[in-house]
Structures are given as C-alpha cells and as structure tokens.
Amino acid sequence: MKKILALSLLSLTALGQSKPLVSHMFTADPSAHLFQGKIYIYPSHDIDAGVKEDDLGSHFAMNDYHVLSQKTPASPVVDHGVALKLEDVAWASKMLWAPDAAESKGTYYLYFPAKDKEGIFRIGVASSSKPEGPFKAEKEYMKGSFSIDPCVFKDKDGTSYLYFGGIWGGQLQRWKSGTYGATDESQPANGQPALMAKVARLDANMKQMAEAPRNVQILDANGKILLSEDHDRRFFEAAFVHQYQGKYYFSYSTGDTHNIAYATGTSPYGPFTYQGVILKPVKGWTNHHSIVEQNGKWYLYYHDVEISGKTHLRNIKVTELKYRPDGSIETIDAYK
Ligand code: FUB
C-alpha cells in the first residue's frame, strides 16, 4: 500500500487555533489512539457524493476509511491509504460513518457503522495485524448491533466495552421498544428520560458483544437522569470514553446544541454525572471528537469545516486538552 506523506498544517503553539491536520482529502470524526508509541487516527472520509442534504444526514454518504498516523500531535501526518472500503463489507449498503479502533492481543480492530441492505444502521468489525490496516471485515455485522458511532474502551484489566448510539439520522429512537420501529421516529416526550447511548462488554474475541446492551445513564448533580428536553446536556451521538486518575469520562456530542459535553463515573457502565462542556460548537453542524494521552499530555482531536465551509466536507484538527486539579476539563473554544 502506498504511503502518502501529508502536509501537517498544525500549530499547537496557539492553543485552540489549530489548523486542519490534512487538506488533501476531507476527514471527520477523528478517533485517535496511541498504538506502538504513535498516534493513529481513525477518521471518517468525507466525500461529496451528490446526495441531497436532509435531516437524517443522507448527504454523509461516505464509502471508505483511511487511517492516518503521527509521531506526536505536532508531527506531520502520514496517510496510510484506504484501510477498508464499502464494497468489501458484504452486509453493508452505504454510509460508512464515524469509526473507532481498538487493540487486543496484538490484533487491531476497526469498528464502523453502515446501513445494511434494508437501510438499518448496524455496527461492523474488521481486523488487521497492523494499526494502519488494511482491515478485513467480518461477513456479518455484530449480532444485536444497531445505530451509529461505535467507541471501544479498553479498561486497565484488559476488558473492552463497546459504546454506541446516535439519535435522529443515527436511528437510536427507532429502537425504543427493543426492535427496529420502521415508523416510530419520535423522541421521548418532555419529562421523560432522554434517549441514552448503549454500552456492552465485548467478547474476548473483540468481534461480538458478550451481553445485551445497557443504557448509559447521564445524571445531573442531584442524581436525576437527564430528560428528553434537556438539549444542552443530553446525549445525541459521538460517544467516547477515556480514563483519567481512576475515573471514567464519558464524552459525547449534544447534537442540535453542538457541544462536546462530558460526564464522569466510577464504572465503565456508568452512571455518569454531567460535568460540563469540553468543546464549544465548531463551524459546521456536527461536533465529534476523541481524547488521547501521549507523554503525559492530553489532546482533543475534533473536526470543523474550515476548508470547505460545507457541513458534510469536514477537516480534522487537534488541540491540547487541560484538566484542572479537581479532574474537571477546561472548556475549549476552537476559535479563541
Ligand atoms: O460522520 C457522520 C456522522 O456525523 C457521525 O457518525 C456523527 O457523529 C456526525 O459527526
């Protein structure tokens, strides 16, 4: 596979004023991981597929993934080329949305959502002996999987957990009853708990959920579950989990209010208590991120639409993330 050295336009010196990490293609939803001492980035590969924009995100009609890497967040970016393409995923029909990756026992796994042949979002897994791929997809999607935005968190004891879910175009609301509701797309009524992301422990083989998915509860400071009408704080999509000083941090996009928010807890299953905003709204409708540590410093990978000005043609960026002594995260404004 041909490697292309992409120009890194990153400037980490001006915190919060980062430049696009690559400009030779559109990239989004960056999931960054430290593998083999380097930062590997697993983004969506945005394209203009000519699909009309709608509220369900049909215009995000992506059809492959590239893996990127950097020695450090300030180093040039290497594009390792196509790591997986739609035509090599037997069960999928379209829309390769935000992926994530995980390592277990020397094998690398790429988790990705796509619509199946019936137009239902499912989550697939593909594996490789190298972090940059190429990845070979399983023939079927993960049993019992649905919706979008998989995130895999590997705990210190080696157990991995799959988080997923996204509302509106991500179809989470269609699964309220436990099966796919072809016509019911309503959100819970005001006063009802908001729709929640899902979490399930993964099998040791990393390819299936070992248990039925559970709700990821987000509570307010009084221990009350966040409600459907609480658009500023409730989960929408883009779940990401990391650990800091023994606590689990569940971060996510609030969607139509465009923040990356976070909540903390003492178990990978939650419940998590809402803490605040990590990243204020960026240019473009979507907001999607990941958090990674290298050499004692923490970084937030995210995207905006600086290059194209179009919401479905995004570019990834990185900036430093800082904790206060009490473990809370300083809010980032990408444009200050
Ligand atoms: O990239 C397509 C979708 O946009 C992702 O799955 C969402 O998280 C949003 O960023």
Side-chain angles (χ1 to χ4, degrees):
M1 185 186 308
K2 197 171 170 218
K3 289 188 183 180
I4 304 159
L5 200 61
L7 184 65
S8 172
L9 300 170
L10 171 70
S11 160
L12 270 177
T13 47
L15 179 66
Q17 301 222 9
S18 304
K19 296 281 195 306
L21 277 174
V22 291
S23 53
H24 65 289
M25 62 177 176
F26 293 110
T27 52
D29 310 323
S31 190
H33 291 274
L34 192 66
F35 292 143
Q36 303 179 352
K38 276 204 295 195
I39 307 254
Y40 281 88
I41 309 165
Y42 300 85
S44 298
H45 176 199
D46 282 355
I47 52 165
D48 198 349
V51 179
K52 198 165 168 280
E53 186 164 338
D54 64 22
D55 280 350
L56 298 179
S58 308
H59 48 306
F60 294 100
M62 297 85 102
N63 56 27
D64 67 17
Y65 294 111
H66 285 231
V67 176
L68 309 174
S69 70
Q70 296 178 284
K71 283 195 179 127
T72 74
S75 307
V77 175
V78 175
D79 176 357
H80 295 274
V82 176
L84 181 70
K85 48 185 192 298
L86 186 62
E87 65 204 61
D88 294 334
V89 184
W91 59 266
S93 67
K94 59 181 173 179
M95 296 164 84
L96 290 181
W97 281 15
D100 194 16
E103 180 275 337
S104 177
K105 299 178 191 140
T107 298
Y108 296 85
Y109 298 89
L110 183 72
Y111 298 87
F112 58 95
K115 284 199 172 170
D116 68 12
K117 309 277 184 202
E118 274 141 29
I120 303 173
F121 265 120
R122 305 287 186 176
I123 292 166
V125 59
S127 53
S128 173
S129 57
K130 292 182 288 183
E132 68 269 31
F135 289 89
K136 188 167 167 31
E138 295 297 303
K139 286 200 173 60
E140 311 275 348
Y141 54 77
M142 296 172 85
K143 275 191 210 84
S145 70
F146 54 90
S147 200
I148 60 164
D149 289 3
C151 156
V152 172
F153 167 73
K154 185 177 175 183
D155 209 348
K156 291 219 160 70
D157 66 0
T159 311
S160 293
Y161 299 85
L162 173 71
Y163 300 80
F164 61 94
I167 65 177
W168 293 20
Q171 301 181 338
L172 191 56
Q173 66 281 357
R174 290 184 179 242
W175 292 90
K176 275 187 296 194
S177 67
T179 53
Y180 183 73
T183 53
D184 177 11
E185 295 199 46
S186 60
Q187 298 297 313
N190 288 355
Q192 295 297 310
L195 287 170
M196 290 170 246
K198 305 288 175 189
V199 55
R201 184 168 53 81
L202 284 175
D203 260 352
N205 72 10
M206 301 292 280
K207 292 179 179 172
Q208 298 294 346
M209 291 182 265
E211 58 188 4
R214 315 175 188 191
N215 284 328
V216 177
Q217 294 189 333
I218 305 176
L219 312 177
D220 67 14
N222 300 315
K224 296 249 166 62
I225 199 147
L226 296 189
L227 301 179
S228 187
E229 65 269 33
D230 191 348
H231 291 217
D232 284 334
R233 298 189 297 177
R234 60 91 170 91
F235 170 80
F236 188 102
E237 63 186 6
F240 190 83
V241 173
H242 75 283
Q243 212 176 17
Y244 178 73
Q245 294 188 342
K247 268 195 191 156
Y248 298 88
Y249 286 63
F250 177 79
S251 48
Y252 56 97
S253 168
T254 59
D256 54 345
T257 50
H258 312 288
N259 287 311
I260 297 296
Y262 76 108
T264 57
T266 55
S267 157
Y269 289 114
F272 298 96
T273 302
Y274 182 85
Q275 302 294 338
V277 170
I278 295 176
L279 177 64
K280 289 186 176 177
V282 292
K283 291 172 189 159
W285 199 94
T286 64
N287 205 349
H288 194 125
H289 70 301
S290 62
I291 294 166
V292 66
E293 181 190 17
Q294 188 183 39
N295 300 328
K297 280 193 158 194
W298 289 82
Y299 301 93
L300 178 82
Y301 282 76
Y302 65 103
H303 67 227
D304 70 7
V305 298
E306 180 180 323
I307 295 176
S308 77
K310 292 189 179 147
T311 216
H312 65 298
L313 298 176
R314 300 161 288 182
N315 48 254
I316 61 166
K317 295 184 167 182
V318 60
T319 191
E320 196 177 340
L321 176 142
K322 290 188 173 163
Y323 297 91
R324 297 188 192 89
D326 65 358
S328 61
I329 294 175
E330 290 182 11
T331 300
I332 296 167
D333 181 329
Y335 308 106
K336 279 202 177 139

